[in-house]
């Protein structure tokens, strides 16, 4: 029997061309594995296409709920945002996909896993770090880095290669954005975005929603509840996390929420420009933060923000299956114990506007916060506090004055 390779298969031109290439150059039995993380109708017709291209088998594995519960929510609870803007849509999905690829490879007794990520991007790192952490014995094949045997450099080359191998597929050498989609987001790269001087052609680009200019003139109120940092209800209806994200995507897209144009620093050292649509994720992150600021004390919140930024970098760099990620997540989980309550906000032309927050664990004390004198706060106490709090500044100023007088 031939040795088996598991191919991370999307159904696109790149991974379709890789099937006959693997058979020709390695004489492998190719098992395709498409991981469903919410990419929608992109999965239509995959079985026929994979078999037509020479695959012996195709797995279509739906891990949408696992993706949302075990990968998305830790990032939401951590407030993980890369370089102040990117909500980690692709970054969170890659370790989830890598984990499933390893499971299928073990099931099929495969000796290798192959992916179609390019040699310039982040995804090669995320896939391969995940595979190395979970299955260090399995060989990894990355065709785009094997320029001695992978000679195709364009869509035209790949189409011609497929034709030469009797594979006639409905792909065209068109000019379109390079996209990655899952339930959390969709990313866009290429075309006019390759020059940062160009304004994005949003009318041509957007998939999940509209620009704020084209959003309704009437705002829309939304109410959500959380239990220990996890969203439980949306507008009074109890739903699982994946369903809440799907509903929020529709609401956010309608109101022009979550469109980000960013020039980010890739792990491989270059800057790249992309546009991300994350309508539901942007709302969920904002709603969670709206509740959290009512509940967490100052020191915990400050520390959590720092670790949240580090968590984002860890995830962005593909280091999901590491002790550091587990340790930061453990800290975050402790902070979420009391993050329970209800948030209300209004969506209006790209904005998420607070409209009230309640929690049984709220640390907001009206008696303390109001301008009237309450039982818990004696204004006279502030004098001693300011004296001690400002003592280093006063001592420094006195020393400077003393030195000046000696001149």
């Amino acid at each position: 029997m031939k040795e088996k390779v598991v191919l991370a298969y999307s159904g696109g031109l790149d991974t379709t061309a890789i099937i006959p290439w693997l058979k020709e150059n390695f004489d492998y039995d190719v098992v395709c594995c498409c991981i469903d993380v919410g990419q929608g109708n992109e999965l239509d017709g995959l079985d026929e296409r994979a078999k037509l291209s020479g695959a012996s088998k195709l797995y279509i594995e739906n891990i949408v709920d696992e993706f949302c519960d075990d990968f998305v929510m830790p990032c939401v609870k951590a407030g993980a945002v890369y370089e102040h803007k990117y909500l980690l849509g692709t970054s969170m999905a890659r370790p989830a996909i890598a984990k499933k690829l390893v499971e299928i490879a073990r099931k099929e007794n495969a000796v290798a896993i192959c992916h179609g990520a390019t040699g310039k991007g982040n995804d090669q790192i995320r896939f391969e770090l995940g595979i190395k952490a979970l299955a260090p014995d399995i060989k990894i094949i990355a065709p785009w880095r094997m320029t001695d045997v992978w000679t195709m450099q364009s869509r035209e080359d790949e189409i011609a290669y497929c034709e030469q191998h009797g594979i006639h597929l409905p792909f065209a050498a068109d000019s379109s954005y390079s996209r990655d989609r899952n339930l959390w987001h969709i990313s866009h790269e290429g075309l006019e975005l390759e020059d940062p001087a160009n304004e994005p052609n949003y009318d041509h680009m957007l998939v999940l929603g509209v620009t704020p200019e084209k959003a309704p003139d009437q705002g829309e109120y939304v109410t959500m509840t959380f239990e220990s940092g996890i969203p439980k209800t949306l507008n009074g209806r109890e739903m699982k996390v994946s369903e809440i994200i799907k509903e929020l995507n529709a609401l956010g897209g309608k109101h022009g929420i979550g469109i980000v144009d960013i020039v980010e620093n890739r792990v491989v050292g270059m800057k790249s420009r992309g546009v991300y649509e994350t309508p539901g994720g942007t709302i969920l992150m904002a709603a969670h933060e709206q509740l959290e600021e009512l509940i967490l004390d100052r020191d915990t919140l400050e520390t959590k923000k720092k670790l949240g930024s580090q968590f984002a970098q860890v995830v962005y760099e593909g280091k999901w299956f590491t002790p550091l990620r587990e340790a930061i997540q453990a800290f975050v989980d402790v902070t979420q114990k009391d993050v329970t309550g209800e948030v209300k906000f209004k969506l209006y032309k790209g904005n998420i506007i607070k409209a009230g927050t309640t929690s049984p664990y709220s640390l907001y004390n009206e008696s303390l916060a109001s301008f009237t004198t309450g039982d818990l706060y004696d204004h006279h106490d502030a004098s001693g506090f300011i004296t001690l709090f400002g003592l280093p500044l006063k001592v420094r100023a006195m020393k400077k004055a003393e030195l000046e007088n000696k001149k």
Side-chain angles (χ1 to χ4, degrees), residues 193-325:
L193 299 180
E194 292 189 349
D195 184 350
N198 292 332
E199 180 182 5
N201 184 356
Y202 288 119
D203 289 338
H204 180 219
M205 178 192 306
L206 297 181
V207 173
L208 301 180
V210 298
T211 58
E213 294 93 333
K214 295 188 176 182
D217 292 332
Q218 185 68 38
E220 184 170 357
Y221 285 96
V222 178
T223 303
M224 294 181 65
T225 63
F226 289 79
E227 291 181 16
S228 298
I230 304 292
K232 292 296 180 180
T233 68
L234 176 61
N235 290 332
R237 292 186 295 130
E238 187 171 341
M239 291 181 277
K240 57 186 180 180
V241 173
S242 61
E243 293 169 337
I244 288 175
I245 293 173
K246 187 175 181 180
E247 289 286 325
L248 289 177
N249 275 335
L251 288 167
K254 173 184 173 183
H255 290 281
I257 306 291
I259 301 168
V260 169
D261 179 357
I262 181 175
V263 176
E264 70 194 59
N265 291 291
R266 285 184 179 174
V267 183
V268 292
M270 70 182 72
K271 288 185 180 290
S272 67
R273 196 255 189 118
V275 169
Y276 297 105
E277 293 181 74
T278 321
T282 301
I283 297 171
L284 180 54
M285 294 280 277
H288 178 267
E289 184 177 349
Q290 180 177 331
L291 179 61
E292 197 175 53
E293 67 181 15
L294 201 66
I295 295 161
L296 297 188
D297 64 273
R298 178 183 176 182
D299 287 346
T300 301
L301 186 60
E302 183 178 343
T303 302
K304 183 175 176 291
K305 284 184 180 295
K306 293 175 184 175
L307 287 175
S309 178
Q310 187 174 8
F311 195 87
Q313 185 162 337
V314 167
V315 176
Y316 186 84
E317 293 177 351
K319 299 174 181 176
W320 186 275
F321 302 105
T322 61
L324 179 56
R325 192 273 306 170

Side-chain angles (χ1 to χ4, degrees), residues 76-371:
V76 172
K77 290 190 290 185
V81 181
Y82 182 69
E83 295 189 339
H84 309 295
K85 290 184 179 180
Y86 175 40
L87 301 188
L88 301 172
T90 301
S91 310
M92 297 184 295
R94 295 323 191 203
I97 293 170
K99 181 183 176 196
K100 184 56 67 172
L101 289 173
V102 168
E103 288 178 18
I104 299 300
R106 293 298 191 208
K107 181 178 179 180
E108 290 287 335
N109 293 314
V111 298
I113 293 174
C114 178
H115 65 78
T118 72
K120 282 188 174 183
N122 294 316
D123 284 339
Q124 57 181 339
I125 299 168
R126 296 165 183 155
F127 281 135
E128 295 185 34
L129 263 59
I131 294 166
K132 289 177 187 295
L134 300 174
D137 57 303
I138 291 182
K139 181 181 177 181
I140 299 171
I141 300 175
W144 281 97
R145 299 204 306 263
M146 303 171 68
T147 53
D148 52 337
V149 285
W150 177 269
T151 57
M152 292 170 274
Q153 298 296 318
S154 65
R155 289 180 65 86
E156 289 86 354
D157 290 346
E158 291 175 316
I159 291 169
Y161 181 81
C162 288
E163 292 281 346
Q164 291 166 12
H165 289 77
I167 303 167
H168 307 287
L169 297 167
F171 293 121
D174 58 353
S175 294
S176 61
Y177 297 101
S178 174
R179 291 183 166 111
D180 177 73
R181 182 176 184 176
N182 57 48
L183 190 67
W184 185 249
H185 89 155
I186 184 167
S187 63
H188 312 267
E189 294 179 338
L191 299 187
E192 79 276 0
L193 299 180
E194 292 189 349
D195 184 350
N198 292 332
E199 180 182 5
N201 184 356
Y202 288 119
D203 289 338
H204 180 219
M205 178 192 306
L206 297 181
V207 173
L208 301 180
V210 298
T211 58
E213 294 93 333
K214 295 188 176 182
D217 292 332
Q218 185 68 38
E220 184 170 357
Y221 285 96
V222 178
T223 303
M224 294 181 65
T225 63
F226 289 79
E227 291 181 16
S228 298
I230 304 292
K232 292 296 180 180
T233 68
L234 176 61
N235 290 332
R237 292 186 295 130
E238 187 171 341
M239 291 181 277
K240 57 186 180 180
V241 173
S242 61
E243 293 169 337
I244 288 175
I245 293 173
K246 187 175 181 180
E247 289 286 325
L248 289 177
N249 275 335
L251 288 167
K254 173 184 173 183
H255 290 281
I257 306 291
I259 301 168
V260 169
D261 179 357
I262 181 175
V263 176
E264 70 194 59
N265 291 291
R266 285 184 179 174
V267 183
V268 292
M270 70 182 72
K271 288 185 180 290
S272 67
R273 196 255 189 118
V275 169
Y276 297 105
E277 293 181 74
T278 321
T282 301
I283 297 171
L284 180 54
M285 294 280 277
H288 178 267
E289 184 177 349
Q290 180 177 331
L291 179 61
E292 197 175 53
E293 67 181 15
L294 201 66
I295 295 161
L296 297 188
D297 64 273
R298 178 183 176 182
D299 287 346
T300 301
L301 186 60
E302 183 178 343
T303 302
K304 183 175 176 291
K305 284 184 180 295
K306 293 175 184 175
L307 287 175
S309 178
Q310 187 174 8
F311 195 87
Q313 185 162 337
V314 167
V315 176
Y316 186 84
E317 293 177 351
K319 299 174 181 176
W320 186 275
F321 302 105
T322 61
L324 179 56
R325 192 273 306 170
E326 292 176 4
I328 298 176
Q329 188 171 326
F331 167 85
V332 170
D333 285 342
V334 171
T335 71
Q336 299 302 291
K337 182 168 57 74
D338 293 338
V339 182
T340 295
E342 180 178 279
V343 296
K344 186 178 181 181
F345 47 89
K346 181 168 69 173
L347 306 178
Y348 177 69
K349 290 192 176 295
N351 295 288
I352 304 167
I353 304 166
K354 291 180 184 177
T357 318
T358 60
S359 170
Y361 301 101
S362 172
L363 297 183
Y364 183 91
N365 186 297
E366 190 171 348
S367 175
L368 281 172
S370 68
F371 286 99

